[in-house]
């Protein structure tokens, strides 16, 4: 009887892969982007990156710290040994809570870009309204999709043309 009770307790902690797939689905009004280029200004103070769609449309982002840009570049190159304390905090909380980052969604908030972070595990959690640059860094670190609304992406494309 003890063994059956222990197995039932363990089952609570396991979820089917369907939950993960549902959280990673992209709706019709969203678009998945990837980092195409990353760098800093000539002083290394301000980060600049270009997000790109599969059909080669570009979305530039700037006005974030050069330090975050360097971390994103390092994560892209597979460097995982030194991460900022705040990212380490998120990693430890995720591990202890058995949560997994499954996607990051970028959106506009006035003149700034913000992001929601979607976690799945024993409980589904959305952390809302964080800096887009930090969210992109975490998405790069964990290798999860970066999503944007199509309208935000298209608005930026019109601004650039």
């Amino acid at each position: 009887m003890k063994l059956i009770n222990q197995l039932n307790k363990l089952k609570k902690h396991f979820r089917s892969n369907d939950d993960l797939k549902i959280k990673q689905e992209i709706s019709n009004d969203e678009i998945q982007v990837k980092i195409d280029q990353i760098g800093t200004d000539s002083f290394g103070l301000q980060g600049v990156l270009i997000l790109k769609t599969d059909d080669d449309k570009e979305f530039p982002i700037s006005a974030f710290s050069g330090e975050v840009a360097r971390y994103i570049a390092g994560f892209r190159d597979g460097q995982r040994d030194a991460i900022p304390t705040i990212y380490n905090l998120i990693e430890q909380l995720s591990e202890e809570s058995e949560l997994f980052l499954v996607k990051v969604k970028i959106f506009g908030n006035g003149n700034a870009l913000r992001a929601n972070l979607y976690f799945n595990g024993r409980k589904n959690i959305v952390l809302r309204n964080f800096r887009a640059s930090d969210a992109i860094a975490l998405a790069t670190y964990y290798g999860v999709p970066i999503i944007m609304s199509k309208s935000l992406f298209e608005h930026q494309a019109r601004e650039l043309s």
Side-chain angles (χ1 to χ4, degrees):
M1 192 64 159
K2 277 185 176 181
L3 180 61
I4 292 172
N5 286 339
Q6 287 176 335
L7 286 174
N8 286 332
K9 285 181 184 178
L10 282 174
K11 284 182 186 177
K12 290 183 208 174
H13 299 291
F14 292 102
R15 297 214 183 255
S16 70
N17 286 337
D18 292 341
D19 287 343
L20 191 60
K21 289 178 188 168
I22 290 169
K23 289 296 175 193
Q24 289 181 327
E25 286 180 358
I26 299 170
S27 69
N28 289 336
D29 63 337
E30 297 175 330
I31 190 165
Q32 185 170 346
V33 295
K34 294 183 178 164
I35 299 170
D36 183 53
Q37 297 178 42
I38 182 83
T40 62
D41 65 5
S42 59
F43 299 107
L45 300 175
Q46 181 173 306
V48 179
L49 65 83
I50 297 176
L51 298 175
K52 198 177 237 185
T53 63
D54 287 338
D55 58 353
D56 289 332
K57 294 180 182 169
E58 296 180 342
F59 188 98
I61 298 177
S62 61
F64 63 95
S65 81
E67 179 182 26
V68 171
R70 287 186 290 279
Y71 279 114
I72 294 170
F75 296 159
R76 273 186 56 185
D77 294 340
Q79 297 171 4
R80 302 269 193 277
D81 51 343
I83 63 173
T85 305
I86 193 65
Y87 301 163
N88 193 27
L89 171 72
I90 291 170
E91 181 178 33
Q92 287 181 23
L93 284 172
S94 296
E95 285 178 8
E96 292 295 323
S97 303
E98 297 178 23
L99 293 171
F100 302 95
L101 183 64
V102 293
K103 76 177 177 181
V104 165
K105 184 173 181 184
I106 300 170
F107 60 92
N109 187 359
N111 290 332
L113 291 176
R114 304 298 284 175
N116 292 340
L117 293 90
Y118 294 79
F119 290 86
N120 194 335
R122 288 192 293 182
K123 188 176 182 182
N124 296 329
I125 295 175
V126 179
L127 299 179
R128 300 184 185 281
N129 204 25
F130 287 87
R131 291 189 320 192
S133 58
D134 287 325
I136 291 169
L138 288 168
T140 306
Y141 182 78
Y142 288 107
V144 301
I146 302 168
I147 310 298
M148 294 182 75
S149 73
K150 281 185 181 176
S151 61
L152 173 63
F153 196 92
E154 290 166 356
H155 174 76
Q156 180 69 16
R158 283 190 301 273
E159 294 278 320
L160 291 174
S161 24

